[in-house]
Amino acid sequence: MACNKEVWQDLGEGFVQEYYSRFDNTNRMELGNLYSPEACLTWEGSPYQGREAIASKLASLPFKTIKHIITEQDFQPTIDGCILIMVFGQLKVDDDPPMAFHQVFMLKSQNCAWACTNDVFRLGIHNIPV
Amino acid sequence: MVDQPLWEQIGSSFVQHYYAVFDSERENLGAIYIDSSCLTWEGQQYQGKTAIVDKLKSLPFSKIAHNITAQDHQPTPDCCILSMVVGQLRADDDPIMGFHQSFLLKNINDAWVCTNDMFRLAIHNFG
């Protein structure tokens, strides 16, 4: 019996898969194409405005290899017809120990394609009890 | 003195209010949600103000304290505010746990309400 996933869940899962695949397996120059022209990124508390600034930030991250493992992802539709996504997982950069991360995306349909308008990324280190 | 952007002021006020109410009298959280709000709590979906408040009221602890370690706020193209919170919480005498929560706020009839809320404990990060 087929499991009927909601449309937003399908779209969200597709986006998440594509995003981390491009992130991990390319030079990240093409990540910019997933964002809308006026998208906002907050990367570890620093804001980046617009597709070009975001693409530039992501392409310039200082590691040779990275791998993301997604442990959980949640999807919700919004009143304005967008899709809100929350991702939890771990990432491994070069030979560093794995670290937890948490990322939120908002997707909006623009010109018949879904683009990311909002992206917030934080490492999970903030959660470790002192 | 640097002025915070409006969305940061609204987002951080909301976050402060949300956790203050949650930690003291979470049955009163209903005022921040509307009938079309969605909550995803540890992967389970709850739709609408009543279902959301029922879920929060039914959480099985007597006392809880949240400590926010980081929060980020962004404006969205539809004039909403996206807020992401990272922190720790302690329920009753249980060990401290990390948590992550995201909110989408919308201005309806001159009041900022929460239309989308997603909560997860940080345990999922350690596979």
Side-chain angles (χ1 to χ4, degrees):
Chain A
M1 185 168 80
C3 177
N4 286 330
K5 271 193 294 193
E6 304 285 0
V7 166
W8 64 81
Q9 191 171 339
D10 266 338
L11 286 164
E13 283 176 359
F15 172 86
V16 166
Q17 192 169 11
E18 182 62 24
Y19 177 89
Y20 292 107
S21 173
R22 288 194 196 190
F23 206 112
D24 294 358
N25 303 320
T26 74
N27 61 8
R28 303 188 300 281
M29 305 284 286
E30 299 303 312
L31 271 171
N33 296 336
L34 293 175
Y35 294 88
S36 68
E38 301 84 29
C40 304
L41 164 68
T42 307
W43 186 270
E44 278 286 282
S46 296
Y48 297 87
Q49 180 73 38
R51 179 195 280 152
E52 282 184 30
I54 293 173
S56 182
K57 168 64 181 175
L58 298 180
S60 72
L61 290 167
F63 45 73
K64 295 199 186 62
T65 62
I66 182 161
K67 182 163 176 54
H68 291 81
I69 295 173
I70 308 306
T71 51
E72 298 292 346
Q73 41 187 326
D74 295 313
F75 308 94
Q76 285 181 355
T78 80
I79 291 178
D80 300 304
C82 296
I83 298 172
L84 188 61
I85 303 172
M86 194 157 81
V87 177
F88 296 83
Q90 293 182 304
L91 56 83
K92 188 163 166 38
V93 162
D94 295 329
D95 294 322
D96 298 348
M99 284 193 291
F101 79 91
H102 172 212
Q103 192 156 13
V104 170
F105 300 100
M106 187 134 98
L107 309 185
K108 187 172 174 70
S109 179
Q110 295 176 331
N111 300 325
C112 299
W114 287 88
C116 178
T117 60
N118 296 80
D119 178 354
V120 186
F121 171 89
R122 285 237 178 220
L123 291 168
I125 50 178
H126 305 273
N127 288 145
I128 296 176
V130 172
Chain B
M1 186 156 74
V2 177
D3 281 330
Q4 264 184 328
L6 189 58
W7 63 83
E8 278 205 31
Q9 290 178 41
I10 294 168
S12 51
S13 291
F14 171 86
V15 164
Q16 186 172 18
H17 175 75
Y18 176 89
Y19 293 106
V21 176
F22 200 112
D23 291 356
S24 58
E25 42 182 18
R26 61 188 188 277
E27 62 274 11
N28 291 338
L29 278 172
I32 65 157
Y33 297 100
I34 55 175
D35 289 337
S36 42
S37 295
C38 307
L39 165 67
T40 305
W41 186 271
E42 283 281 285
Q44 297 293 308
Q45 307 269 31
Y46 299 88
Q47 183 74 37
K49 174 201 288 246
T50 305
I52 291 172
V53 174
D54 282 349
K55 169 62 184 176
L56 298 180
K57 273 165 40 176
S58 75
L59 291 168
F61 44 74
S62 306
K63 56 183 188 355
I64 182 146
H66 290 81
N67 180 33
I68 309 307
T69 52
Q71 51 182 304
D72 296 304
H73 308 281
Q74 289 180 350
T76 80
D78 299 304
C79 301
C80 294
I81 296 172
L82 178 63
S83 296
M84 186 167 96
V85 175
V86 175
Q88 296 177 316
L89 59 82
R90 186 155 199 215
D92 295 327
D93 296 319
D94 296 346
I96 295 174
M97 289 195 287
F99 77 92
H100 307 271
Q101 193 156 12
S102 301
F103 301 100
L104 189 68
L105 309 182
K106 188 172 177 68
N107 189 313
I108 296 181
N109 297 329
D110 279 333
W112 286 92
V113 295
C114 178
T115 58
N116 296 78
D117 177 352
M118 295 170 147
F119 171 89
R120 282 226 183 232
L121 291 167
I123 50 178
H124 300 278
N125 285 145
F126 299 100

